[in-house]
Every structure is written in C-alpha cells, then in structure tokens.
Amino acid sequence: MKAHPTSILLIKALKRIYTRVEAMVVVHGEIEFIYFTDNAWEREMAYLYKRIVRTPAPNFRYILLNKISKSKLVLDQHLKPHEIIEIDHPYPYSKTIPTKISQAPLPVTIAQVGGLSIRKNAHQVYSLAQLLSGPIAAGQLRFVSIGSIDEDAAPYRNTLVSDFTNGKKGGYISRQTFVEEVRKIDYAVFFYGPEQYIFRASGSVMDVIDFTKPIIALRHPFFEYLTNQVGNIGFLCADLGEMAEILSRIGKRDTEVISKYDEQSANLDKFKQMYGTEFIANDFKQQVSG
C-alpha cells in the first residue's frame, strides 16, 4: 500500500513505545524533494521528508529501491548507513530473445520511451531529431515517442518525431500499443540529468531493459550502475551533440558502432537474468540479517 509521508512520522512516534519491534518502510520517489522542488506541493513534501529523516527512532530502517541513492543520502548526512537497505527495484522481466541490429532494415528506429515531459528532459528528443534532420530525411533514421506527452512538452513538438497520441495533448496510449511499438525499436534514448531519477526507479528504463533495446543516453549514475554490473549496455554521452554524432554513425551503419549492438542487447538480457525477483529477495534478506 502507499501511505502519505505523515504516516512515517506516526510510525516513528509509535517506535518510542515499541522500541523492540523492528520497522522498515519503503521510501520511493518523493524523498528527492529534499534536494529539488518546483511547486508548493513539492515544498510540502520536502518539509515532511526532512522531518522524517531528522526524527530518530530505534530499530527503524528505510528500504530504497535502487543502488545509487544510499551513498548520496549518507554523504549528505541525511541518513546513516545502518538505517538503509538498498535493493534493485523488482520488475516482472519477461523471457525475450535479444534483438540483432543486423536483422533490422533501414531506417533505424530511435525511441523516446515513456511519458514525455520537461521534468524528465524528454522534450530534448525534438532537439536531437532536429540535429539529425538530414539522416531522417535520407531514410537512415526514424524517431518516435512511445508514451503520453505532457502539456508542458507539447510546445516543443515537431514533425521529425512521430508519436501515438493522435495529436492529443497529454494523451495516453494503451499498454498494448506501448508494448507493440517498443518491440519494433532499435535503440532507446534518455535525457535524464545527473540529478534526476536518483531516488526513484524509472519504469521506462525497465521496460527498455525488458525488451533488451540498447540505450543511448546522457551520462547518469543509473546507466553507469548498469554498465558496471553487466558491461556495455549502450552509449553514454556528454551532451546532445555527442548523441547526435553516435546516431549519425548508426544511421550510416558504421561498423565500429553497429558491431556493438548484439553485445549491448545481450548484456541487458544478462541484467534481466541476474537481477530477477529471486536475486533481489536474497539480497534483501542478507541485508536484513547482516
């Protein structure tokens, strides 16, 4: 179940009475508002979470659903190491056969996967497509956005990026359409800033992993984590210019770049096999008893 963060404060208050009872709560998403807020509601959440982490309680631990946020919270002295259990976010990965780029006809399909919003920097897909208007016109590359488009991103839309919302602002697409279209793509692009998605898992990234589609993204701690775990999973770039350069080479079927596709796809499949629910459960048990 999902509870308002004031419930955590209530649990901590009860822990003063029930000191021997161990309590663990899953903290997901909103804790990032300690660092960044955009509106009044987020500032309220930031205030509550600051209160939460500053309120001591015996036998109380937080469960974080990724492996990149603990170090930051500890370094910034919000929490102590013994207060945190960190696990990879569980996901019902399916059995799929990694795709091979050699089997894909031109144009190579590049997709922005998931909701397209300014908060995720996903609107930059339109700028990236503009940089690659030549290869798109030449039939080497095709850009699509698979997911809803938030109203704040709608002004950035251009005809170089196709979508499946039938022109509706904020329109959602069905899960069936989402799955069908992600299966067809060759690469997925992500534009998260280094401070984004540190304290929450990205369902869009997990969907891409599930379909073993290599990733082209701006450098980010989570993609670096994936790379450290299983090896090359795509291309991590410093900026849009570097992303455009890589994609231009992909459109031209540059052997040096294309030859890495099968390895990248297979490594994503390796992550699926290694980090299934059984592994995560065992990891959790070891940390609880450790």
Side-chain angles (χ1 to χ4, degrees):
M1 63 178 292
K2 182 176 181 180
H4 194 274
T6 51
S7 301
I8 303 177
L9 287 172
L10 176 60
I11 294 171
K12 284 199 162 187
L14 290 172
K15 289 293 289 142
R16 296 175 183 175
I17 303 172
Y18 302 100
T19 57
R20 295 184 180 181
V21 177
E22 185 171 23
M24 291 178 279
V25 297
V26 177
V27 180
H28 185 49
E30 286 85 357
I31 197 171
E32 74 178 17
F33 297 141
I34 289 177
Y35 292 91
F36 309 101
T37 59
D38 289 331
N39 53 54
W41 179 82
E42 292 181 1
R43 286 189 288 275
E44 178 186 341
M45 291 298 103
Y47 170 77
L48 288 172
Y49 274 100
K50 287 176 182 177
R51 283 281 306 276
I52 288 167
V53 299
R54 291 172 184 169
T55 302
N59 289 326
F60 186 95
R61 286 192 276 184
Y62 302 87
I63 301 172
L64 303 178
L65 297 179
N66 66 37
K67 294 272 189 173
I68 61 174
S69 52
K70 176 179 178 177
S71 58
K72 183 167 181 61
L73 289 169
V74 171
L75 179 65
D76 295 339
Q77 299 184 348
H78 290 299
L79 293 171
K80 296 179 175 60
H82 70 269
E83 295 180 289
I84 300 173
I85 294 172
E86 55 175 359
I87 59 173
D88 290 285
H89 196 300
Y91 184 91
Y93 292 119
S94 59
K95 292 183 178 180
T96 56
I97 299 174
T99 52
K100 294 182 180 296
I101 192 66
S102 59
Q103 298 173 357
L106 288 173
V108 177
T109 300
I110 313 300
Q112 188 289 133
V113 178
L116 197 161
S117 66
I118 290 179
R119 185 175 182 83
K120 296 165 61 176
N121 286 340
H123 64 296
Q124 292 193 55
V125 69
Y126 297 114
S127 299
L128 181 61
Q130 190 67 52
L131 291 173
L132 293 158
S133 57
I136 292 172
Q140 296 174 344
L141 297 175
R142 171 177 175 255
F143 275 78
V144 297
S145 177
I146 308 175
S148 61
I149 300 177
D150 285 6
E151 289 193 15
D152 64 359
Y156 295 88
R157 295 171 83 166
N158 60 39
T159 58
L160 297 173
V161 182
S162 302
D163 61 68
F164 307 91
T165 64
N166 297 320
K168 297 178 182 178
K169 291 183 179 180
Y172 286 86
I173 66 173
S174 69
R175 180 65 185 180
Q176 180 181 353
T177 298
F178 180 88
V179 170
E180 289 175 353
E181 296 304 327
V182 174
R183 279 201 182 106
K184 297 176 186 176
I185 71 173
D186 299 304
Y187 292 88
V189 289
F190 292 96
F191 306 90
Y192 302 146
E195 78 287 350
Q196 297 174 309
Y197 282 84
I198 299 297
F199 302 101
R200 65 178 70 207
S202 169
S204 301
V205 173
M206 291 181 175
D207 285 323
V208 168
I209 293 172
D210 194 28
F211 289 102
T212 65
K213 304 297 182 178
I215 292 166
I216 301 173
L218 298 178
R219 290 197 173 276
H220 185 276
F222 184 69
F223 297 127
E224 291 171 348
Y225 166 73
L226 287 177
T227 301
N228 290 336
Q229 299 308 301
V230 296
N232 185 3
I233 50 93
F235 300 96
L236 304 185
C237 305
D239 51 34
L240 288 186
E242 187 176 354
M243 291 178 79
E245 180 184 357
I246 291 291
L247 285 165
S248 177
R249 294 174 66 185
I250 288 171
K252 295 174 182 176
R253 297 295 180 117
D254 185 320
T255 304
E256 183 180 353
V257 178
I258 293 293
S259 63
K260 300 177 182 180
Y261 188 96
D262 293 352
E263 175 192 1
Q264 293 163 346
S265 183
N267 284 341
L268 289 170
D269 190 59
K270 184 194 304 183
F271 185 86
K272 288 170 54 177
Q273 304 303 322
M274 290 173 57
Y275 294 87
T277 53
E278 184 176 351
F279 173 89
I280 293 172
N282 290 332
D283 183 23
F284 173 75
K285 291 175 183 177
Q286 289 177 10
Q287 293 185 64
V288 169
S289 60

